[in-house]
Amino acid sequence: MPSTGPQSLDRALALVDAVAGAPGPVSAKALARLAGCSLSTAYHLLGPLTERGYLARTARGYVLGPALPRLHRSFLHQLAPAPGMAELLARLRRATGGETYYTAYRGGVITVVDTTAPVTDTANPFAPGRETRAHATAHGKALLARLTPRARRRYLAEHGMARLTTATITSAEALEAELLRVRATGFAVSVGEADPAWTCVGVSLPRAGEPEDGEAVHALSVSVPTREFRRRPEAIRAALAEAAAGRI
């Protein structure tokens, strides 16, 4: 991501990102290399990050710190998801056999907030975090379909519509036609659009009216191998609808 702020702030955030993306502890020397700064600069930034709890220093290197769970809890609190979302995701997974996801749109950003996919499942293409492929995912389409045309245009102008597979929708006109179908049927479907091996089905969670600026829109989705989806598409849709209605 290009630099958008003061260099010291960008580098400090780059250090946190580097630690978050590593499979284990990272040395200061490796972090300096990843952030593109000198070792002395890295230590200068690592000090306050450690003091504030964003990172922690171990004998083997730096790891994520104890402040991050608090930030995550605050993030969830501000999104105000339905009570018992984690339990709902687990029940939906048992009903469908696929991995399930809770996704939210707020302030021009779509985030995969929670999932039943284990953190060790590196093959799963829908990991928690910022989602920039909304045009190609079912949860993204379900959320985009609920936005005002202006908010939708703003989101797509910022994130683009990259071609991820041969099935990806890359034109604004084709996507608008797809979102009309989503609003008509209540379901968003992505068959190999983000990853050729996976199909994702999503629904937005009920709310009154269109979201105003700053308000969150929520979605549930399920991903299964495409061959599995083609065996029982209606059963997966039915379980997702039951979950969204709170009846699962």
Side-chain angles (χ1 to χ4, degrees):
M1 183 176 293
S3 172
T4 57
Q7 188 177 56
S8 60
L9 176 59
D10 282 332
R11 282 178 170 166
L13 294 174
L15 293 174
V16 176
D17 286 341
V19 173
V26 191
S27 69
K29 185 179 293 186
L31 288 171
R33 184 172 63 252
L34 291 168
C37 63
S38 68
L39 183 57
S40 61
T41 298
Y43 276 122
H44 177 73
L45 297 172
L46 289 166
L49 289 171
T50 302
E51 290 171 9
R52 289 177 175 267
Y54 298 114
L55 298 178
R57 188 177 185 178
T58 73
R60 295 176 53 215
Y62 288 87
V63 296
L64 293 177
L68 299 183
R70 173 179 54 79
L71 292 178
H72 182 62
R73 286 175 63 87
S74 297
F75 177 73
L76 289 176
H77 177 72
Q78 291 176 12
L79 281 176
M85 180 60 71
E87 292 80 5
L88 177 61
L89 291 176
R91 292 195 298 272
L92 181 58
R93 188 190 190 288
R94 289 193 293 271
T96 62
E99 300 300 353
T100 59
Y101 309 85
Y102 159 49
T103 311
Y105 167 94
R106 185 179 58 173
V109 176
I110 290 177
T111 305
V112 179
V113 180
D114 199 6
T115 174
T116 56
V119 295
T120 54
D121 184 5
T122 56
N124 190 291
F126 309 113
R130 186 166 182 161
E131 177 63 272
T132 60
R133 309 161 299 171
H135 65 294
T137 64
H139 49 259
K141 293 179 191 177
L143 293 170
L144 290 175
R146 294 299 305 272
L147 303 184
T148 64
R150 180 180 178 183
R152 190 160 53 247
R153 287 193 298 270
R154 189 165 59 240
Y155 178 90
L156 294 173
E158 180 176 350
H159 296 92
M161 299 177 64
R163 182 175 295 281
L164 305 172
T165 74
T166 57
T168 306
I169 296 172
T170 57
S171 93
E173 294 77 11
L175 182 62
E176 281 299 321
E178 175 79 353
L179 298 182
L180 279 175
R181 286 191 288 273
V182 173
R183 288 190 285 271
T185 65
F187 293 96
V189 181
S190 167
V191 181
E193 294 176 45
D195 184 290
W198 293 85
T199 287
C200 186
V201 186
V203 294
S204 61
L205 295 181
R207 58 162 290 134
E210 293 178 330
E212 298 179 1
D213 285 347
E215 289 187 316
V217 186
H218 310 272
L220 286 176
S221 59
V222 177
S223 71
V224 293
T226 296
R227 64 182 181 278
E228 178 69 15
F229 174 75
R230 288 174 174 154
R231 283 184 51 246
R232 49 192 186 91
E234 293 309 318
I236 292 172
R237 285 190 179 95
L240 191 56
E242 290 285 300
R247 296 193 299 266
I248 197 169

